[in-house]
Amino acid sequence: MENNSSDNHIQRDNSSTWAIVPAAGLGQRMGKELPKQYLTINGKTILERTLERLLSIESIAAIVVVLNKDDKYFETLSSAKNARVMTAIGGRERCDSVLSALNSLQGKVSAADSVLVHDAARCCILPTHVEQLIASLKDDKVGGLLGVPVSDTLKQVSDKNRITQTLDRSTIWQAQTPQLFPYSLLKNSLEKALIDQQKITDEASAIEYCGLQPQIIMGHYDNIKVTHPDDIAIASAIISHQNLSAG
């Protein structure tokens, strides 16, 4: 299934940005037969929408889509035929899948290149916000991610669902994707975290585990992650609103 598109179609600057879209999950929380990235919103699959938005960003040299080894849907998408789209086979966890994609880029990336990782299920991301992230982190040696300050009151609970304390939300942000890091730093951090059997929930947590502090860049509240069935209707409304605003 691995598809290493010809480098002749990949545009490079002195330093390039490469994208990784993990799409190997089964989306079991959706309760659907299809993996959630292949459910449709307003006539297009979630994954197709995500890829279209990333492909509209000219500064992204290429995108590696990480697929389940038994995936039989991706090749039907129009984006699968794009010369800037490559594939890799995913692993058991998200961090395994991202590392697989990083390994597939060896020999293509340079020391100055960065890697942008974006959830397949965040199909409402606006290209302008991705470009803002790339521009903001251009000279940052650690990297960072999009995020938003939490607006709800947050409670810490016990294993019996009893509240143990109310958290100070003034310093708490909700992490989003894309998350952008130097290629070698991200690869080395993921490898170390996996060897040490650390629980890694996003790329930033691997960087943090290695003692570094990623920068968080203000994103937007409409950059939701489609996770539960109700999220389909919310994402549909967001996309319809974005289309009206663009028109």
Side-chain angles (χ1 to χ4, degrees):
M1 182 179 292
E2 288 192 75
N3 166 32
N4 293 317
S5 299
S6 171
D7 286 358
N8 293 331
H9 297 286
I10 296 173
Q11 300 296 317
R12 290 187 180 84
D13 297 316
N14 291 332
S15 63
S16 295
T17 300
W18 305 76
I20 294 174
V21 177
L26 299 177
Q28 294 174 333
R29 279 178 288 183
M30 293 293 292
K32 306 286 187 180
E33 290 185 9
L34 278 175
K36 68 179 176 183
Q37 60 268 29
Y38 295 114
L39 298 176
T40 58
I41 294 180
N42 299 359
K44 289 184 180 180
T45 67
I46 291 171
L47 180 55
E48 182 80 358
R49 289 190 172 279
T50 298
L51 292 176
E52 284 181 353
R53 294 189 176 207
L54 293 178
L55 286 167
S56 72
I57 302 168
E58 293 182 0
S59 61
I60 293 178
I63 303 171
V64 182
V65 184
V66 192
L67 303 172
N68 187 284
K69 63 181 178 60
D70 297 320
D71 187 290
K72 55 186 178 183
Y73 308 105
F74 180 71
E75 62 186 16
T76 67
L77 304 183
S78 60
S79 295
K81 303 173 181 62
N82 191 291
R84 290 163 63 207
V85 172
M86 304 180 286
T87 61
I89 302 302
R92 187 178 66 175
E93 303 291 343
R94 175 196 175 94
C95 54
D96 298 303
S97 293
V98 173
L99 191 53
S100 173
L102 291 170
N103 287 332
S104 76
L105 286 173
Q106 283 188 315
K108 297 181 176 65
V109 299
S110 71
D113 289 353
S114 296
V115 175
L116 178 151
V117 184
H118 185 61
D119 297 326
R122 289 189 188 271
C123 57
C124 299
I125 185 68
L126 289 175
T128 52
H129 293 151
V130 181
E131 292 168 339
Q132 177 188 355
L133 178 72
I134 295 172
S136 298
L137 298 174
K138 182 177 181 181
D139 299 316
D140 195 300
K141 290 181 169 51
V142 176
L145 62 151
L146 289 181
V148 291
V150 298
S151 54
D152 295 325
T153 297
L154 299 178
K155 305 290 187 180
Q156 183 171 301
V157 299
S158 68
D159 56 2
K160 295 181 180 179
N161 285 345
R162 293 288 181 178
I163 295 172
T164 59
Q165 67 171 313
T166 298
L167 302 178
D168 177 9
R169 69 183 180 191
S170 66
T171 60
I172 299 175
W173 285 52
Q174 178 182 330
Q176 299 180 339
T177 68
Q179 303 194 359
L180 179 72
F181 300 102
Y183 172 85
S184 295
L185 176 60
L186 179 56
K187 185 173 182 294
N188 293 339
S189 298
L190 285 172
E191 288 174 341
K192 177 174 174 52
L194 285 170
I195 289 172
D196 294 349
Q197 298 183 327
Q198 292 296 306
K199 184 175 178 61
I200 300 300
T201 55
D202 66 353
E203 291 66 50
S205 58
I207 304 294
E208 294 159 34
Y209 175 66
C210 293
L212 298 172
Q213 296 180 322
Q215 183 179 169
I216 195 158
I217 306 296
M218 184 66 184
H220 200 279
Y221 289 95
D222 65 6
N223 182 21
I224 69 166
K225 184 178 182 181
V226 177
T227 304
H228 304 286
D230 289 349
D231 295 332
I232 294 285
I234 296 171
S236 175
I238 290 172
I239 290 169
S240 295
H241 176 72
Q242 289 174 339
N243 290 340
L244 284 173
S245 298

